[in-house]
Amino acid sequence: MHMNKKQFITDIKVGDNFDSTVIVSEKQAKKKKNGEDYCTVTFQDRTGIIEGILWTEVFLGAGDFSEGDLVSIKSVIKEYRGSRQLIVNSLKKLEKDDDLDLSDYIKSTSKNIDSMFEEILGYIGSMENRYLKELLNIFMADKGFVKNYRTSTAAVRYHHAYQGGLLEHSLNVVKICDMLTGIYDNLNRDLVLAGAILHDIGKIKEYSSGINLKITNIGRLLGHITIGYGWVQEKIGQVKGFPADLADRLLHIILSHHGHLEFGSPKRPKILEAFVVYHVDHLDGDIGGFNIILDNANSENDWSEYVRNFERPVYLKKLELEEEENMDNESLNSQDHNENSNKDFEPSSEETEQDELF
């Protein structure tokens, strides 16, 4: 059964009414200083997430609802600290039938999961080191692991935050790493590819990738780097004669792939393959994060709001070259053009102030 959903989170802007059905992604009951109850909620549909608030009267009138529930809300979009916020005027929990189509509420990769997974298997098949190949084949023979590796998210919000995001991100990292092994001939291809395939597997247990994406208890307590390290170490124990130095190097890639202690890595990269996996992982994460900003951006704005992960706003305006392409070379090289260009590149006082913030 498909429920007709007319409004999506990505389409709404400040001042709009938003009367629609959404999934409750996060819910936190709170108290005002005077003791009155209220509630902050994160709502989601397939286009994104938005923060909402239920003040006392609305919260008490909403009845019992939980994270993962499908709800019907009436609300208005206000601006709060530079972001959109829903002020919810009414909320009603809806029953979810087993045959209810929830595709409008769960964000998924736009890529084909089967073909992405086949590509991963192809990279494993191309490896020459029998120990790394056997280790990866042990993971890929585990049906439960494969199911989750194919469908898990790579994050709750920042990058590749949707079902299939972990596979999409991992394959991107593998492809870029493989390209780099063709440029730098002292990279061990099999080691760097094994690290790329396995670096984020702890996210399978760090995040729940069902109806709503959220951090699990084990994710909060241990984190995906530690979880992944333990998982890889356990499987290495199933490979007879796995060389100790090779094991240490692969585990080091897992432990160091966030690059810095303050970003959660117990170790900083100390072998070339670890440097490569760290930088490629960071690169693909930034590109994925930027693309999410583009997806959620209001098309009327040239600049995003302040982005916490980048610690800056980012420029969203699409590059348009048609006008320049239509100009002949003579006019491009004219003195007038050069003078105008110089004027265009004079920074305004506002731009100078902005530069100083970075």
Side-chain angles (χ1 to χ4, degrees):
M1 184 177 77
H2 191 277
M3 186 174 291
N4 191 20
K5 180 171 163 62
K6 293 176 182 176
Q7 277 183 300
F8 288 90
I9 288 170
T10 194
D11 300 325
I12 56 178
K13 55 186 185 293
V14 173
D16 287 351
N17 290 319
F18 183 61
D19 302 339
S20 192
T21 50
V22 284
I23 293 282
V24 177
S25 182
E26 293 178 43
K27 173 189 175 185
Q28 214 167 25
K30 299 181 177 181
K31 281 191 185 292
K32 295 182 188 176
K33 288 179 182 175
N34 65 7
E36 288 183 353
D37 294 318
Y38 73 103
C39 185
T40 57
V41 185
T42 304
F43 297 110
Q44 75 174 49
D45 62 25
R46 66 172 167 80
T47 68
I49 60 172
I50 191 167
E51 307 297 332
I53 191 159
L54 283 69
W55 292 117
T56 305
E57 194 175 325
V58 177
F59 179 39
L60 295 177
D64 187 34
F65 69 96
S66 307
E67 293 178 353
D69 281 345
L70 181 66
V71 296
S72 171
I73 60 170
K74 292 184 186 296
S75 62
V76 64
I77 293 84
K78 303 285 188 184
E79 187 168 333
Y80 178 68
R81 292 182 179 172
S83 297
R84 298 175 304 164
Q85 183 186 58
L86 289 181
I87 307 298
V88 180
N89 297 316
S90 74
L91 181 148
K92 181 184 176 186
K93 178 179 172 179
L94 302 175
E95 293 304 317
K96 290 200 298 263
D97 299 325
D98 290 341
D99 62 345
L100 180 64
D101 180 4
L102 291 173
S103 58
D104 279 343
Y105 305 95
I106 302 172
K107 190 169 186 180
S108 299
T109 177
S110 59
K111 309 275 178 68
N112 183 289
I113 285 178
D114 287 337
S115 60
M116 285 194 293
F117 186 67
E118 284 302 317
E119 282 191 76
I120 291 281
L121 294 180
Y123 279 105
I124 295 171
S126 74
M127 289 182 176
E128 295 175 2
N129 184 285
R130 68 185 181 93
Y131 298 104
L132 290 173
K133 186 183 271 193
E134 186 179 342
L135 172 68
L136 287 160
N137 283 332
I138 287 171
F139 273 107
M140 299 308 163
D142 181 335
K143 288 181 181 176
F145 172 84
V146 168
K147 179 174 180 282
N148 291 321
Y149 189 71
R150 287 163 53 101
T151 58
S152 287
T153 182
V156 173
R157 298 192 181 193
Y158 173 44
H159 72 89
H160 303 89
Y162 40 78
Q163 287 199 348
L166 174 64
L167 178 60
E168 183 181 330
H169 167 61
S170 299
L171 180 59
N172 288 346
V173 174
V174 170
K175 284 178 170 178
I176 299 168
C177 284
D178 189 42
M179 180 187 69
L180 291 175
T181 63
I183 299 171
Y184 303 106
D185 56 12
N186 59 335
L187 274 173
N188 183 306
R189 179 179 183 268
D190 290 354
L191 179 58
V192 80
L193 291 190
I197 292 168
L198 297 172
H199 78 282
D200 265 350
I201 60 169
K203 288 183 174 180
I204 289 171
K205 295 180 180 178
E206 183 177 37
Y207 303 125
S208 64
S209 295
I211 291 171
N212 60 325
L213 307 179
K214 57 184 289 192
I215 302 176
T216 61
N217 290 338
I218 192 173
R220 289 183 188 277
L221 292 170
L222 301 183
H224 74 272
I225 292 177
T226 309
I227 295 166
Y229 168 83
W231 212 345
V232 173
Q233 189 178 49
E234 177 199 333
K235 299 291 188 189
I236 284 173
Q238 297 174 26
V239 180
K240 191 175 179 183
F242 200 104
D245 186 38
L246 183 62
D248 290 343
R249 287 167 187 261
L250 178 59
L251 291 168
H252 174 70
I253 292 173
I254 307 291
L255 289 178
S256 66
H257 80 263
H258 276 200
H260 301 274
L261 305 180
E262 61 268 32
F263 296 152
S265 272
K267 289 291 177 185
R268 299 176 73 193
K270 294 186 178 76
I271 59 171
L272 196 55
E273 290 78 11
F275 274 101
V276 167
V277 172
Y278 153 58
H279 282 291
V280 173
D281 176 48
H282 197 143
L283 171 68
D284 189 61
D286 278 353
I287 292 171
F290 201 107
N291 285 334
I292 284 178
I293 295 164
L294 286 174
D295 288 345
N296 293 333
N298 187 325
S299 58
E300 297 171 10
N301 298 333
D302 288 350
W303 286 89
S304 75
E305 295 161 350
Y306 179 86
V307 182
R308 191 174 67 183
N309 293 88
F310 292 144
E311 297 181 332
R312 75 205 78 162
V314 295
Y315 195 39
L316 304 170
K317 190 176 181 183
K318 193 175 179 182
L319 176 65
E320 293 172 9
L321 296 173
E322 258 182 55
E323 193 178 323
E324 286 189 21
E325 286 168 1
N326 292 335
M327 295 172 76
D328 57 48
N329 288 333
E330 190 178 335
S331 66
L332 280 173
N333 293 325
S334 71
Q335 184 64 32
D336 287 347
H337 174 76
N338 289 337
E339 284 176 8
N340 289 337
S341 293
N342 289 336
K343 283 176 187 171
D344 287 344
F345 285 106
E346 285 278 336
S348 68
S349 59
E350 186 181 331
E351 286 171 326
T352 308
E353 285 172 21
Q354 191 178 43
D355 285 341
E356 288 169 3
L357 295 175
F358 287 81

